[in-house]
Amino acid sequence: HIYVDAPGAFAGCWICDNWMEVELRWTVGLSGHTPEAVKEIYALLSLDNFHVPSILKPSTVVPGEFVAYRMLPPVQDPIEVVYFFDDFFTIAQDFALATPSK
């Protein structure tokens, strides 16, 4: 789950409504089983009703990591993240709750 905690309803402005960039990361061997041939990993968020995939690409900095970045609105409820690759859906085993500072 990702917690982006701030009061108020979306007014149509990313800046005015304090949207935040959040990194989605999958670490081979830590997050869970990852087949060697995987080139991309997809993340689905409950915020999008699990319909809009974010594509995690191999990190150019840390070998064995796949990353993507999303702008997320402030919400009171946790945002759930499901990862999939090779027709396999899972959650990250090393996924921590993120509560961005205000």
Side-chain angles (χ1 to χ4, degrees):
H1 300 297
I2 299 171
Y3 288 92
V4 183
D5 188 21
F10 179 59
C13 172
W14 288 18
I15 297 169
C16 302
D17 286 331
N18 300 317
W19 283 45
M20 300 184 70
E21 181 180 62
V22 173
E23 179 185 75
L24 302 171
R25 180 185 316 144
W26 182 271
T27 304
V28 174
L30 249 163
S31 299
H33 172 71
T34 313
E36 288 184 31
V38 168
K39 302 279 188 251
E40 296 176 335
I41 295 175
Y42 302 89
L44 298 171
L45 282 66
S46 59
L47 185 71
D48 303 321
N49 291 324
F50 303 104
H51 282 69
V52 181
S54 295
I55 303 171
L56 283 74
K57 299 280 189 177
S59 171
T60 57
V61 179
V62 180
E65 283 191 351
F66 290 78
V67 294
Y69 296 90
R70 285 281 307 264
M71 291 299 292
L72 298 179
V75 294
Q76 296 297 321
D77 296 324
I79 297 171
E80 297 175 326
V81 182
V82 175
Y83 295 89
F84 75 94
F85 47 88
D86 291 347
D87 297 326
F88 179 73
F89 288 82
T90 188
I91 60 170
Q93 302 304 308
D94 63 334
F95 196 72
L97 296 179
T99 307
S101 57
K102 296 179 182 181

